[in-house]
Amino acid sequence: MIVAELEPDVLTARAQARQALADAIAGVDSARQRLAEAKRAADLATDRAIELRNRIDALAERASSAKANASGDSVIGALLRGECLGSRSSPAEEARTEIAALERELDAVRQARQTAQDEIENRKSAIGLGEMRVRRMIGGVLRSSGSTERLLTGLIDLEREIIRRRLGLAFLLRQDGVPRALLAEVERLLDGHALPTRAAATDHWGKNPASQAWADALATLERDADARLPLD
């Protein structure tokens, strides 16, 4: 096993798996940055739309006031000054012209904001796909790490020894052959949960230090492609 782990093709496969994971993590980081940019753009568009709406409302109020206050005095004054009445816009007309321009800009801002909001959803989906890819790449790192092979080495012999000892203790316990000083320890051991299996209750074995070590390694691998595994 040790010799196999040092073979160039094994080391190459491990390096490739780690690099694939690093690329996947970088992809998720990039997708998160793009999502943040889209959110900032949508917020800026919202602020701009509010600003334009306020300006339009203020101009509309000014135009209404100017129209209400219009009188013959302004016309007479223009005539006395020799101004060309047809070439000059009234304050109300100027306000309406500016309102029209602002409303066109407001429509454009609203369309841009909708585009940004649509892109937010697209970029959220990209993050989800990227995270799925990270999990797949983590599986590749675990498969190429040699952890399965090392955990299996000698395990059958260990299980046989555990079974032999537990059966012996169970026999001694039934025959009242366990010293009183060790009775509580033997009973606790034999009354404990079975060894972990695929169907074992995860809420029990998940608290075991061995399970916690692997869970911690997985959480770190999601952020760091060079994270160590419990057997490293």
Side-chain angles (χ1 to χ4, degrees), residues 45 48-49 52 101-116:
R48 180 59 176 161
L52 290 170
L102 290 174
E103 285 180 337
R104 288 192 296 272
E105 184 178 355
L106 178 58
D107 288 340
V109 169
R110 285 172 172 168
Q111 292 176 7
R113 180 178 60 187
Q114 185 59 54
T115 298

Side-chain angles (χ1 to χ4, degrees), residues 32-135:
R32 286 177 176 154
Q33 291 174 0
R34 284 169 52 78
L35 174 60
E37 290 172 354
K39 288 181 175 179
R40 286 198 301 271
D43 290 341
L44 289 172
T46 298
D47 293 342
R48 180 59 176 161
I50 292 172
E51 177 190 350
L52 290 170
R53 185 71 263 174
N54 291 338
R55 288 177 61 186
I56 289 171
D57 291 342
L59 283 169
E61 183 178 352
R62 191 175 77 186
S64 176
S65 176
K67 184 177 180 181
N69 294 332
S71 66
D73 291 341
S74 61
V75 175
I76 293 172
L79 288 171
L80 292 174
R81 291 189 298 271
E83 295 177 354
C84 181
L85 297 177
S87 63
R88 182 178 180 184
S89 299
S90 68
E93 290 172 339
E94 292 175 353
R96 285 194 293 270
T97 299
E98 189 172 354
I99 286 172
L102 290 174
E103 285 180 337
R104 288 192 296 272
E105 184 178 355
L106 178 58
D107 288 340
V109 169
R110 285 172 172 168
Q111 292 176 7
R113 180 178 60 187
Q114 185 59 54
T115 298
Q117 289 174 338
D118 293 341
E119 189 62 19
I120 286 173
E121 297 305 315
N122 293 335
R123 295 183 183 190
K124 284 181 179 178
S125 298
I127 290 175
L129 293 173
E131 289 174 341
M132 290 174 59
R133 183 167 181 264
V134 167
R135 288 191 287 273

Side-chain angles (χ1 to χ4, degrees), residues 9-42:
D9 57 340
V10 173
L11 297 177
T12 298
R14 291 182 185 177
Q16 291 174 342
R18 292 281 184 167
Q19 185 59 52
L21 176 57
D23 293 342
I25 292 172
V28 172
D29 291 341
S30 176
R32 286 177 176 154
Q33 291 174 0
R34 284 169 52 78
L35 174 60
E37 290 172 354
K39 288 181 175 179
R40 286 198 301 271

Side-chain angles (χ1 to χ4, degrees), residues 131-160:
E131 289 174 341
M132 290 174 59
R133 183 167 181 264
V134 167
R135 288 191 287 273
R136 291 197 303 271
M137 296 306 103
I138 286 176
V141 168
L142 297 177
R143 288 192 298 273
S144 66
S145 68
S147 296
T148 301
E149 293 81 355
R150 277 177 281 176
L151 288 169
L152 279 174
T153 299
L155 180 59
I156 293 177
D157 291 337
L158 288 173
E159 281 199 338
R160 286 172 178 166

Side-chain angles (χ1 to χ4, degrees), residues 160-179 181-192:
R160 286 172 178 166
E161 179 63 14
I162 290 171
I163 291 171
R164 183 185 69 81
R165 294 190 184 194
R166 289 177 67 94
L167 288 175
L169 289 172
F171 175 83
L172 292 173
L173 187 64
R174 288 194 300 271
Q175 303 303 320
D176 194 24
V178 177
L182 298 175
L183 184 60
E185 182 177 355
V186 170
E187 289 176 339
R188 180 189 57 79
L189 177 66
L190 294 179
D191 290 342

Side-chain angles (χ1 to χ4, degrees), residues 214-225:
W214 284 102
D216 293 343
L218 178 63
T220 306
L221 277 173
E222 291 176 349
R223 306 184 305 272
D224 179 9

